[in-house]
Amino acid sequence: MTEHSFLNGYIRLHPQSGALSITFPEMGTTSATAWTPIRDATASVDYHLDDTSHHLELTGPEVSFGVAEKLVTFSHQDNHLHLDWSWTRVNDALEGWLEVTNHGNETLNLDALNVLCLTQDGSLDLPGPAANWRAYLNGWQSWSPTGVRKVGDGPFPRSTDDEYRLQNLPHSDGSDKDGLRSEWVTVVSAPFEHTQDSSTPPQAKPKHLLLGFVTGADLLSEIILNVGDRFQGLTGTCHADGISLGPGESLRSERLRVATGFDGWTLLEAWASRLGELMGARVPEQTPTGWCTWYQYFGFNTAQDVYANLGAIRRQHLPLNMVIIDDGYQAAIGDWLTPDSERFTDMAAVAATIHREGRVPGIWAAPFGLADDSQTWANHPDWAVRDETGEPVLAWSHFGRPIHALDTTHPDAADWLHTTFRTMRQEGGYKAFKADFLFAAALPGLRHDPQATRAQALRRGLRLIRDAIGDDAFLLGCGAPLGPAVGLVDGMRIGPDVSTTWQPLLTGDASAPSTANALRNSIARAYTHRHLWAADPGCLLARPRGDSSQLTLYEARTLATIITLTGGMLLDSDRVGDLPPSRLTMLRKMLPPTDRVAYPVDLFEGDLPETLILPVEQPWGRWWLAGLINWDDHTRSTEIELGALGLPPDRYHVYDQWRALYLGQTDGALTLPRQRPHETLLLLFKPVTDYPDWLTSTFHLAGGSTEVVDVIRQKLGEQRLKLVVHVEKDGENFGRLVFTVPAGWVVLDAQVNGRRRSVNVRSRKA
């Protein structure tokens, strides 16, 4: 029987089976060939009626279809539900959704809307054994491990600790039978065979398939990939959480995007852009900088500590705009308006002092948690989410203290939440809010409103906070399921907590606090910056190794480099007055944020990307910054091939930004014999010219990407050239401008702000 073709051949229906295949034109070619990455797919819904489970699948010859302009809808039904499965084209991608309607006479309960299903009868058309494929796995909240895994290796390492399991596995018991689970989005690709030849034809490059939900307000959604010795299935599912659907009522799934490309990172950027567009992302005009109490004091700071650091920031002329008082000021989790009388007596006075210093007062809260020793819990135990036995749901353990999950759908709890944040904003004077442990509102359980899904409960709580603090306040999410937060937060933590140690202590869990864990996630989610929010990679710890930090110099530099290259928020968390000059210089060299996101060229090649590339193009020049990460625990020799970095064929000057050292020229490979454990080399590559030129700046790690605002080249004659470099940078700064002078040219004069200065001329053979 002839297949039916829709949307210019992107979708084909097999009339007998009722299954769909999705085809994309061959990428990068003008031929008529095409790639069909998804074959024999269907959609389904899981529901229960009178404690009996049901599964309705769009399958078989009874599947009907209807076509409208740029839209095709496939329909099927049983005795209870009618399904409409719709698809449309959005540029070179497809987007689909599933709508279910109760056309029966009985109320039923919905468990899952499966927008795309592939069983063993279907397939993903990727070369090689399925166990060798690589998949981008996105964790369900800020701290959950995120990155690319070889499919056969299974999920990221997990702890058996209940605290981490609650935070990372909300939809499953964590057993291997659950397959690989990725929240909201995944990219699947075949093994990458690297080539140094930039002329490699597109059809020889690896293909990537993206599946990602581009809405997230109502249903928590994930992609589940099941692979054993071979491909066993894939499901793009939206969790309906058992909400009821009465006769005549309907529910629509979140919207699923399907796209293909040669580059997985570009697909993720396009997905984030579309999600931000449909969800009304809030992106601040200026990416924030600031200082935070937590990673220096860990909750044991006083108001005087805040004042001392404010003074040090002023004396050092550091352009850190926001000051966040983190956990520890409150009497208990849930008693946000009652300060700890031993360390803070008047939080409004602290905010006023911060404001007088010209900074934005910020404050921390875990708004969806109630500690068992809080007065709020004692007065209102009915405000908790409950489990099936009626017991309050444990959201997390806070330094051994049980924290219950707040039911944001309870009217009285909602009023309290709104009033609390309105008071902190209007009477307390705080204009920035770090809302932490947000996943608590989205944990499974019984709520006052039984029709609220977990995603809706979380979003209701965030909307209450947003309404209370106003649109002009900055809201930073943390520990948050990402999808429902888009459009309500201004910033988002995209990884686990950084730590004073490189690897986590006492656990191998990939979500546990550690600098290495934080950096893995920050690289893998950096594409969300300025598409969904201002991305927060975690705080800088610039202080030297000692009693308050175990990070080596090279580990601290790696943290600084990746924060710089990923372009997001910069929050320092040191005792500023104790920082030695060299570490203050490190901090200064990171300000302001570049707002440019580096590309991890090898993201899909291994468990940890080792190469970040930040292209910079200005009217006066073009250059590339390369961050080369040594995740190993030993010193190694590092060889760089320019082709592997994606640089166009040319001859380049190479400059080491950390060591402020010119390394010479290269047009092919460069070897660096001793890269220390956990060290990141930051190299600048700039095309060689046959005339004198500006090369880089040491005022910023990004080598002029932020502080150099113009370079003027004036030709004064056949062999005379005047170079004028215009630098603007807030705060107190120290550094150099570096120029290249080819053989045959001589420096005659140098001036800074009209005053003649001496020039340090170093000769180096190419």
Side-chain angles (χ1 to χ4, degrees), residues 237-255:
T237 190
C238 299
H239 297 281
D241 301 330
I243 63 171
S244 65
L245 196 69
E249 293 180 338
S250 298
L251 180 70
R252 179 177 288 191
S253 75
E254 303 295 356
R255 192 176 179 113

Side-chain angles (χ1 to χ4, degrees), residues 22 24 26-27 34-39 118 122-136 148-151 180 186-193 203 205-211 223 225-227 229-234 258-264 267 604:
I22 295 178
F24 290 86
E26 186 65 43
M27 299 173 290
W35 180 32
T36 304
I38 296 174
R39 298 180 185 273
L118 281 171
S123 67
L124 290 183
D125 183 21
L126 291 167
N132 290 342
W133 296 346
R134 303 197 69 83
Y136 176 88
V148 174
R149 295 282 288 177
K150 182 181 176 183
V151 170
L180 291 178
T186 190
V187 176
V188 185
S189 72
F192 185 82
E193 295 183 5
Q203 58 269 29
K205 296 180 180 179
K207 299 172 182 176
H208 296 74
L209 171 67
L210 175 137
L211 301 166
I223 315 295
L225 179 63
N226 288 293
V227 173
D229 296 333
R230 59 187 180 86
F231 174 77
Q232 296 177 351
L234 179 145
V258 182
T260 59
F262 291 125
D263 183 74
L267 289 173
F604 283 84

Side-chain angles (χ1 to χ4, degrees), residues 89-102:
R89 269 186 62 188
V90 180
N91 298 321
D92 293 329
L94 290 173
E95 291 180 4
W97 58 93
L98 184 64
E99 186 165 2
V100 299
T101 302
N102 184 346

